[in-house]
Amino acid sequence: MAQRISSGRGTTATRTKRQTGNQTPNTPRVSESAISRMKVDDLRSQLKRRGVSGISALRKPELVKTLARTMRGEGGAARRSTGPAGRPSATRKSTAAKKTTAAKRTTSARRSATSPAKAAPAARATGARAKATGTRKAAPARAKATSSRAKATSSRAKAAPARKTSSARAQAAPTRGPASSRSIGSSQLITSLADRPERPGRSLVTRNHEVIQRWARARGAKPATIAGTEREGRPGVLTFNIPGYRESSRIREITWDDWFRTFDLRRLNLIYQEQMRDGRQSNFFRTENPNREDG
């Protein structure tokens, strides 16, 4: 109860009766002295339960005042929520309930942000997206691998010997036999006019008629055989008559048809060079019989 007392100066002062340990009027259940005896962690816990945020940087005196103010607000809301004759006011009660629900939702949202149990579905969703991305990336990779295999198959098909029925057309790959020399394995395969040596001085091997004719024309070479090596009326050892290179009275020129007919019949290989290592034109050549040491 508040009592009015007159002062000597003609003014009226109001004196409020205080209950022990309570520093807030009209709130008998709120005691700042009791609150000040609480630990800082307990103060923060009480404020968090009441939905108060921004308290991490506050010191104890500020926490005590904040908690007391919050509790006074709760007490005032409780008194205002009752109407005449102690009957609760439906409108005010509904408003207070909405505020409490909103505070609980805010607190729940903060807790769920760091909850591992709720983070697990998000992690699973992220993993699912990662797997889907990996699957999409794996599909082009498989397509590229299939394309690479197709190209490799195409390359092998191009490198394989072409089956020719005409004597004017050459076979692509060299013929190998039990007595084939090691030079075939160390020579670059030339299968068409488009193929070029990897470097000057590179040893080459071919059975292509057009490649052989181009090489011979570039050197003024004529198809020839070695006299005395004929067999059953057909040319024997095949060679070229190159002016100024390996000249011999035994070299006898023949036609390209006879030269290639014998070349294909005996399944010979031509091992040759386009250039020497210093870049100069090379006249080196030799025919090789896969079943013997030379042709």
Side-chain angles (χ1 to χ4, degrees):
M1 296 293 293
Q3 295 179 353
R4 295 179 180 273
I5 58 176
S6 299
S7 65
R9 297 178 182 179
T11 59
T12 303
T14 302
R15 182 175 63 189
T16 304
K17 291 183 180 180
R18 297 182 181 179
Q19 296 182 5
T20 304
N22 183 21
Q23 299 177 3
T24 55
N26 302 321
T27 56
R29 289 185 298 173
V30 179
S31 173
E32 288 190 14
S33 60
I35 293 173
S36 64
R37 288 194 294 271
M38 296 172 64
K39 295 182 179 179
V40 173
D41 292 340
D42 294 336
L43 292 171
R44 290 198 174 105
S45 177
Q46 290 287 340
L47 289 168
K48 287 181 180 179
R49 282 201 296 269
R50 287 170 168 79
V52 180
S53 60
I55 60 175
S56 59
L58 299 181
R59 295 183 179 182
K60 185 173 181 179
E62 297 168 335
L63 292 172
V64 171
K65 291 181 180 180
T66 303
L67 180 57
R69 187 165 54 249
T70 303
M71 294 175 69
R72 285 199 301 272
E74 292 176 352
R79 286 193 301 275
R80 287 193 299 270
S81 63
T82 58
R87 291 191 299 274
S89 173
T91 303
R92 293 177 181 177
K93 185 176 181 180
S94 175
T95 303
K98 288 180 180 179
K99 290 183 179 179
T100 304
T101 302
K104 288 182 179 180
R105 286 178 180 174
T106 303
T107 304
S108 176
R110 290 197 190 97
R111 291 176 180 175
S112 64
T114 56
S115 175
K118 294 186 178 181
R124 287 195 294 271
T126 303
R129 287 195 295 271
K131 289 182 179 179
T133 303
T135 303
R136 289 195 296 271
K137 290 183 178 178
R142 287 195 295 269
K144 290 181 180 179
T146 303
S147 177
S148 299
R149 287 195 295 269
K151 289 180 180 179
T153 304
S154 177
S155 298
R156 288 195 295 270
K158 290 179 180 179
R163 296 180 180 178
K164 312 290 184 177
T165 56
S166 172
S167 60
R169 288 180 292 177
Q171 297 182 2
T175 303
R176 296 179 181 273
S180 295
S181 68
R182 295 180 181 178
S183 57
I184 291 182
S186 61
S187 299
Q188 178 186 344
L189 175 64
I190 303 296
T191 61
S192 69
L193 294 174
D195 295 340
R196 304 302 302 166
E198 297 171 350
R199 62 179 183 276
R202 187 74 165 92
S203 176
L204 310 173
V205 60
T206 188
R207 300 193 72 248
N208 186 281
H209 293 187
E210 294 178 343
V211 172
I212 294 172
Q213 285 182 314
R214 182 183 64 182
W215 181 89
R217 284 195 299 267
R219 291 154 180 79
K222 303 293 183 181
T225 185
I226 303 298
T229 61
E230 295 84 355
R231 300 175 185 178
E232 298 178 357
R234 59 181 176 83
V237 176
L238 297 181
T239 185
F240 292 104
N241 184 18
I242 303 177
Y245 182 78
R246 292 185 182 178
E247 292 183 346
S248 172
S249 59
R250 296 184 59 192
I251 294 179
R252 182 173 64 87
E253 293 185 7
I254 58 177
T255 65
W256 277 114
D257 287 343
D258 290 340
W259 198 96
F260 282 126
R261 187 181 300 112
T262 304
F263 185 82
D264 292 340
L265 181 64
R266 295 169 62 188
R267 301 183 64 80
L268 300 178
N269 304 310
L270 180 68
I271 300 174
Y272 67 103
Q273 279 183 325
E274 287 282 1
Q275 294 176 317
M276 292 184 285
R277 290 186 179 180
D278 59 5
R280 291 180 297 165
Q281 187 181 68
S282 174
N283 293 331
F284 167 77
F285 74 92
R286 71 183 181 89
T287 56
E288 182 197 61
N289 190 324
N291 297 311
R292 293 171 55 183
E293 283 302 318
D294 55 32

